[in-house]
Amino acid sequence: MSITEARAPRGLAGLVVTETAIGDVLGAEGRYHYRGHDAIELARAADFERAWHLVVLGGLPDADATARFRARTAATRVPPPAVREVVATAAAELRDPLRGLQTALPVLSAARGGRPLYDLTEDERVEEALAIASAAPVILAACHRAERGLDPFPPAAVPAEGTAADYLRRVTGREPDDTVVRALSAYLIATIDHGLNASTFAARVIASTGADMASCVAGGLGALSGPLHGGAPSRALDALDAVGTPDRIEPFVRGELTAGRRLMGFGHAVYRTADPRARLLREVALELGGPRVGLAVEYERIAERLLAQHRPGRELHVNVEFYAAVVLERCGIPREMLTPTFAVARIIGWTAHVLEQARDPKIIRPSSRYVA
Ligand code: ACO
């Protein structure tokens, strides 16, 4: 068979299309790692910059190196003035922080003198990766604040503070307590990277053209915004709202499945066991407590039972998005900021993949088969 006749499976499912040293998802075993380090253990340690350093720069730093990395990334956190104007317009016109960041990225890149990856040295690419990933949470929070008529870019309350605490303060407007900072850090670390998911692949395809870092991240954001990928958590909360009380779970879930709708926060393209991120976040949710968690645990139990009847032989379990929604809501993150908060973490994964892809000057260019 010639190369042009080779047919890939639908959705490219299971097809190996690249090599990576960033991490791996072992779907059958229900675990995943970042550069050989168990991701759930890293998440339990709740030091976001340590995990960020590992994924992007390639080594697990000691306490001193982590502190230096925290200061380095905090220094590029607040974007230049041109971005402030975009945020004001985006907040008024788009009312969607994810789209606001997508709009602001080319301006941020231009203000930094950003150039195509193809023309940059490895050190310059790394600078771009860290600068864009560090500014993203502030821009997302600024879009949210501007929509509410608040100062979009208040000065940092604590210099060189970690990303999680700074982000929480900006989004909620409150002083975050340690329990909440640890919970958000665990979530962010657990979602930095996860194999060749749709948004990571999108970012890598763009990187393979030699485009600039901001374009790669903007493409990743577009993929992440879809309800089958990063857009599920707010819909999971909508489902819990619609249910209201435990006695209404079963009729609600049956109704959704009978109507042919998917249960948001359930199923996964790779895991055929429970999603390890969902297990971690269930634990975190139970630690945080609150009125929602009991209903969520019961919803999971009933939904998994009914999914097993609905698709016998297909392992459909709770995924990261379901308990992420519950945890983030308890951390004070509003519903419209759930997918943007996912982006805060996943942008770091994309930048690592973009750096890796950019080292190989081979454009990704598959073929299609014409059907009349
Ligand atoms: N509810 C009901 N049925 C489901 C669900 C669900 N949540 N998930 C899968 N199924 C069904 C599908 O309809 C599919 O049947 P079909 O082929 O006749 O359409 C069957 O189970 C098998 O699906 P899979 O091959 O296991 O799933 P796929 O790889 O196509 O999709 C996905 C994975 C997109 C996550 C899917 O499970 C889904 O839509 N879940 C709901 C949305 C969601 O929670 N997204 C977040 C995913 S996690 C993340 O992106 C970070």
Coordinates of all heavy atoms in Angstrom, one line a residue, residues 75-80 82-83 104-115 120 123-135 139 213-214:
A75 N 7.8 37.7 37.3 CA 8.3 39.0 36.7 C 7.7 39.3 35.4 O 7.6 40.4 35.0 CB 9.9 38.9 36.6
T76 N 7.2 38.3 34.7 CA 6.6 38.5 33.3 C 5.1 38.3 33.4 O 4.4 38.2 32.4 CB 7.2 37.5 32.3 OG1 7.2 36.2 32.8 CG2 8.6 37.9 31.8
R77 N 4.6 38.3 34.6 CA 3.1 38.0 34.8 C 2.2 39.2 34.3 O 1.2 38.9 33.7 CB 2.9 37.8 36.3 CG 1.6 37.3 36.7 CD 1.5 36.9 38.1 NE 2.1 35.7 38.5 CZ 2.5 35.3 39.7 NH1 2.4 36.2 40.7 NH2 3.0 34.2 39.9
V78 N 2.6 40.4 34.7 CA 1.7 41.5 34.3 C 2.0 42.0 32.9 O 3.1 42.4 32.6 CB 1.8 42.7 35.3 CG1 0.9 43.9 34.9 CG2 1.4 42.2 36.7
P79 N 1.0 41.9 32.0 CA 1.3 42.2 30.6 C 1.5 43.7 30.3 O 1.1 44.6 31.1 CB 0.1 41.7 29.9 CG -1.0 41.7 30.9 CD -0.4 41.6 32.3
P80 N 2.1 44.1 29.2 CA 2.3 45.5 28.8 C 1.0 46.2 28.6 O 0.0 45.6 28.3 CB 3.2 45.3 27.6 CG 3.0 44.0 27.0 CD 2.6 43.1 28.2
A82 N -0.4 47.7 26.1 CA -1.2 47.5 24.9 C -2.3 46.4 25.2 O -3.4 46.4 24.7 CB -0.3 47.1 23.7
V83 N -1.9 45.4 26.0 CA -2.8 44.3 26.3 C -4.0 44.8 27.2 O -5.1 44.3 27.1 CB -2.0 43.2 27.0 CG1 -3.0 42.1 27.5 CG2 -1.0 42.6 26.1
A104 N -6.1 38.7 23.0 CA -5.0 39.5 23.6 C -3.6 38.9 23.2 O -2.6 39.6 23.2 CB -5.1 39.5 25.1
L105 N -3.6 37.6 22.9 CA -2.3 36.9 22.7 C -1.4 37.5 21.6 O -0.2 37.8 21.8 CB -2.5 35.4 22.4 CG -2.6 34.6 23.7 CD1 -3.1 33.2 23.4 CD2 -1.3 34.5 24.5
P106 N -2.0 37.8 20.4 CA -1.2 38.4 19.3 C -0.6 39.8 19.8 O 0.5 40.2 19.4 CB -2.1 38.6 18.1 CG -3.3 37.8 18.4 CD -3.4 37.6 19.9
V107 N -1.4 40.5 20.6 CA -1.0 41.9 21.0 C 0.2 41.7 22.0 O 1.2 42.4 22.0 CB -2.2 42.6 21.6 CG1 -1.7 44.0 22.1 CG2 -3.3 42.7 20.6
L108 N 0.0 40.7 22.9 CA 1.1 40.5 23.9 C 2.3 40.1 23.2 O 3.4 40.6 23.5 CB 0.6 39.3 24.8 CG 1.7 38.8 25.8 CD1 2.1 39.8 26.8 CD2 1.2 37.5 26.6
S109 N 2.2 39.2 22.2 CA 3.3 38.8 21.4 C 4.0 39.9 20.7 O 5.3 40.1 20.8 CB 2.9 37.7 20.4 OG 3.9 37.3 19.6
A110 N 3.2 40.8 20.0 CA 3.8 41.9 19.3 C 4.5 42.9 20.3 O 5.6 43.4 20.0 CB 2.7 42.6 18.5
A111 N 3.9 43.1 21.4 CA 4.5 44.0 22.4 C 5.8 43.5 22.9 O 6.7 44.3 23.3 CB 3.5 44.3 23.6
R112 N 6.0 42.2 22.9 CA 7.2 41.6 23.4 C 8.2 41.4 22.2 O 9.3 40.9 22.4 CB 6.9 40.2 23.9 CG 6.2 40.1 25.2 CD 6.0 38.7 25.7 NE 7.2 37.9 25.5 CZ 8.3 38.0 26.3 NH1 8.3 38.7 27.3 NH2 9.4 37.2 26.0
G113 N 7.8 41.8 21.0 CA 8.7 41.6 19.8 C 8.7 40.2 19.4 O 9.7 39.7 18.8
G114 N 7.6 39.5 19.7 CA 7.5 38.0 19.4 C 7.8 37.7 17.9 O 7.2 38.5 17.1
R115 N 8.5 36.7 17.6 CA 8.8 36.3 16.2 C 8.5 34.9 16.0 O 8.3 34.1 17.0 CB 10.3 36.6 15.9 CG 10.6 38.1 15.8 CD 12.1 38.3 15.5 NE 12.9 37.9 16.6 CZ 14.1 37.3 16.5 NH1 14.5 36.9 15.3 NH2 14.8 37.0 17.5
L120 N 13.8 31.7 16.0 CA 14.3 32.0 17.4 C 15.3 30.9 17.8 O 15.2 29.7 17.3 CB 13.2 32.0 18.4 CG 12.1 33.0 18.2 CD1 11.0 32.9 19.4 CD2 12.6 34.4 18.2
D123 N 16.8 29.3 23.5 CA 16.7 30.1 24.7 C 15.6 31.1 24.5 O 14.8 31.4 25.4 CB 18.0 30.8 25.1 CG 19.0 29.9 25.7 OD1 18.6 28.7 26.0 OD2 20.1 30.3 25.9
E124 N 15.5 31.7 23.3 CA 14.5 32.7 23.0 C 13.1 32.0 23.0 O 12.1 32.6 23.5 CB 14.7 33.4 21.7 CG 15.9 34.3 21.7 CD 16.4 34.8 20.3 OE1 16.2 34.0 19.3 OE2 16.9 35.9 20.2
R125 N 13.0 30.8 22.5 CA 11.7 30.1 22.6 C 11.2 29.9 24.0 O 10.1 30.0 24.3 CB 11.8 28.8 21.8 CG 12.0 28.9 20.3 CD 12.2 27.6 19.7 NE 12.6 27.6 18.3 CZ 13.2 26.7 17.7 NH1 13.6 25.6 18.3 NH2 13.5 26.8 16.4
V126 N 12.2 29.5 24.8 CA 11.9 29.2 26.2 C 11.4 30.5 26.9 O 10.4 30.5 27.6 CB 13.1 28.6 27.0 CG1 12.8 28.6 28.5 CG2 13.4 27.2 26.5
E127 N 12.0 31.6 26.6 CA 11.6 32.9 27.2 C 10.2 33.2 26.8 O 9.3 33.6 27.6 CB 12.5 34.1 26.6 CG 13.8 34.2 27.3 CD 13.7 34.4 28.8 OE1 12.8 35.2 29.3 OE2 14.4 33.7 29.6
E128 N 9.8 33.0 25.5 CA 8.5 33.2 25.0 C 7.5 32.3 25.8 O 6.4 32.7 26.2 CB 8.4 32.9 23.5 CG 8.8 34.0 22.6 CD 7.9 35.2 22.8 OE1 6.8 35.2 22.2 OE2 8.4 36.2 23.4
A129 N 7.9 31.0 25.9 CA 7.0 30.0 26.5 C 6.7 30.5 28.0 O 5.5 30.4 28.4 CB 7.7 28.6 26.6
L130 N 7.7 30.9 28.7 CA 7.5 31.2 30.1 C 6.7 32.6 30.2 O 5.8 32.7 31.1 CB 8.8 31.3 30.9 CG 9.6 30.0 30.9 CD1 10.9 30.2 31.8 CD2 8.8 28.9 31.5
A131 N 7.0 33.5 29.3 CA 6.4 34.8 29.4 C 4.9 34.7 29.1 O 4.0 35.2 29.8 CB 7.0 35.8 28.4
I132 N 4.5 33.9 28.1 CA 3.1 33.8 27.7 C 2.3 33.0 28.7 O 1.3 33.4 29.2 CB 3.0 33.2 26.3 CG1 3.4 34.3 25.3 CG2 1.6 32.6 26.0 CD1 3.4 33.8 23.8
A133 N 2.9 31.9 29.2 CA 2.2 31.1 30.2 C 2.1 31.9 31.6 O 1.1 31.7 32.3 CB 3.0 29.8 30.5
S134 N 3.0 32.7 31.9 CA 2.9 33.5 33.1 C 1.9 34.6 33.0 O 1.2 35.0 34.0 CB 4.3 34.0 33.6 OG 4.8 34.9 32.7
A135 N 1.8 35.2 31.8 CA 0.8 36.3 31.7 C -0.6 35.8 31.5 O -1.6 36.6 31.8 CB 1.2 37.2 30.5
I139 N -4.2 37.7 32.5 CA -5.1 38.3 31.4 C -6.5 37.6 31.6 O -7.5 38.3 31.4 CB -4.5 38.0 30.0 CG1 -3.2 38.7 29.8 CG2 -5.5 38.4 28.9 CD1 -2.4 38.4 28.6
M213 N 4.9 31.5 19.2 CA 4.4 30.8 20.4 C 2.9 31.3 20.7 O 2.1 30.4 21.0 CB 5.3 31.1 21.6 CG 4.9 30.5 22.9 SD 5.0 28.7 22.9 CE 6.7 28.4 23.0
A214 N 2.6 32.6 20.5 CA 1.3 33.1 20.8 C 0.2 32.4 19.9 O -0.9 32.1 20.3 CB 1.2 34.6 20.7

